[in-house]
Every structure is written in structure tokens, then in C-alpha cells.
Amino acid sequence: RYPASEKLEIISLVEGSHLSARQTLTIVGIPRTTFYRWCDRYLQPGEAAEVYWQRIEETILISKYEE
């Protein structure tokens, strides 16, 4: 089980990779079904999903700032 912040980083990694999603996910060891479930949750409309992912993004920004 991955923390939400790591899920968001993996989504960003796959989206920014020059490789296909399948190849990138194979390298990082994440099943495609798992990855696309994360994406569906990330893209899911609604206030609950927005608050959930906004909190993750803030956590990532804070941790990068502290480095």
C-alpha cells in the first residue's frame, strides 16, 4: 500500500515519462490496473476528491520546501 503522496508522484512520473505508461509502470513495479484506479480517483470530480488530492499536493510542496 502506497501513501497518497507517493501515488501522486507516480502519476506525475508516468505522465512526464518519455516511455509509454506500460513501460514506465513496469519499471516502477506498479500494476496498470492499480495506476489507472489512482488516476480515476485523482480525476474524479467532487469536493471530497479535490480536498483529498489538494492535501497531498500541499504535503509534497511543504516537504520539498523543507529540503
Side-chain angles (χ1 to χ4, degrees):
R1 197 168 159 119
Y2 292 88
S5 59
E6 199 167 332
K7 292 176 185 177
L8 188 59
E9 287 186 42
I10 292 169
I11 290 171
S12 297
L13 173 73
V14 172
E15 289 177 346
S17 176
H18 67 280
L19 300 172
S20 68
R22 172 182 260 169
Q23 291 171 318
T24 305
L25 291 168
T26 299
I27 291 168
V28 294
I30 304 293
R32 286 185 329 164
T33 53
T34 300
F35 172 76
Y36 288 112
R37 188 176 335 113
W38 295 348
C39 288
D40 287 343
R41 187 169 183 184
Y42 180 69
L43 297 173
Q44 183 179 33
E47 188 175 324
E50 185 177 320
V51 169
Y52 173 78
W53 288 105
Q54 183 178 7
R55 204 172 325 130
I56 294 166
E57 290 169 352
E58 289 171 358
T59 302
I60 291 170
L61 288 174
I62 290 169
S63 66
K64 287 183 179 180
Y65 179 75
E66 291 175 345
E67 292 176 352

PDB file of all heavy atoms in Angstrom, residues 8 14 38:
ATOM      1  N   LEU A   8       0.626  10.244  -6.022  1.00  0.00           N
ATOM      2  CA  LEU A   8       0.635  11.434  -6.862  1.00  0.00           C
ATOM      3  C   LEU A   8       1.973  11.588  -7.579  1.00  0.00           C
ATOM      4  O   LEU A   8       2.024  11.951  -8.749  1.00  0.00           O
ATOM      5  CB  LEU A   8       0.322  12.678  -6.036  1.00  0.00           C
ATOM      6  CG  LEU A   8       0.122  13.962  -6.822  1.00  0.00           C
ATOM      7  CD1 LEU A   8      -1.017  13.821  -7.832  1.00  0.00           C
ATOM      8  CD2 LEU A   8      -0.151  15.110  -5.890  1.00  0.00           C
ATOM      9  N   VAL A  14       4.722   8.993 -14.447  1.00  0.00           N
ATOM     10  CA  VAL A  14       4.220   8.305 -15.641  1.00  0.00           C
ATOM     11  C   VAL A  14       3.804   9.318 -16.698  1.00  0.00           C
ATOM     12  O   VAL A  14       4.118   9.160 -17.881  1.00  0.00           O
ATOM     13  CB  VAL A  14       3.055   7.351 -15.280  1.00  0.00           C
ATOM     14  CG1 VAL A  14       2.400   6.783 -16.532  1.00  0.00           C
ATOM     15  CG2 VAL A  14       3.558   6.226 -14.385  1.00  0.00           C
ATOM     16  N   TRP A  38      -5.847   4.781  -9.432  1.00  0.00           N
ATOM     17  CA  TRP A  38      -5.375   6.018  -8.799  1.00  0.00           C
ATOM     18  C   TRP A  38      -5.747   7.218  -9.658  1.00  0.00           C
ATOM     19  O   TRP A  38      -6.204   8.237  -9.140  1.00  0.00           O
ATOM     20  CB  TRP A  38      -3.869   5.994  -8.617  1.00  0.00           C
ATOM     21  CG  TRP A  38      -3.324   4.970  -7.673  1.00  0.00           C
ATOM     22  CD1 TRP A  38      -4.030   4.195  -6.781  1.00  0.00           C
ATOM     23  CD2 TRP A  38      -1.966   4.596  -7.521  1.00  0.00           C
ATOM     24  NE1 TRP A  38      -3.185   3.372  -6.100  1.00  0.00           N
ATOM     25  CE2 TRP A  38      -1.903   3.598  -6.528  1.00  0.00           C
ATOM     26  CE3 TRP A  38      -0.784   4.999  -8.133  1.00  0.00           C
ATOM     27  CZ2 TRP A  38      -0.708   3.009  -6.127  1.00  0.00           C
ATOM     28  CZ3 TRP A  38       0.406   4.415  -7.737  1.00  0.00           C
ATOM     29  CH2 TRP A  38       0.437   3.431  -6.746  1.00  0.00           C
TER      30      TRP A  38
END
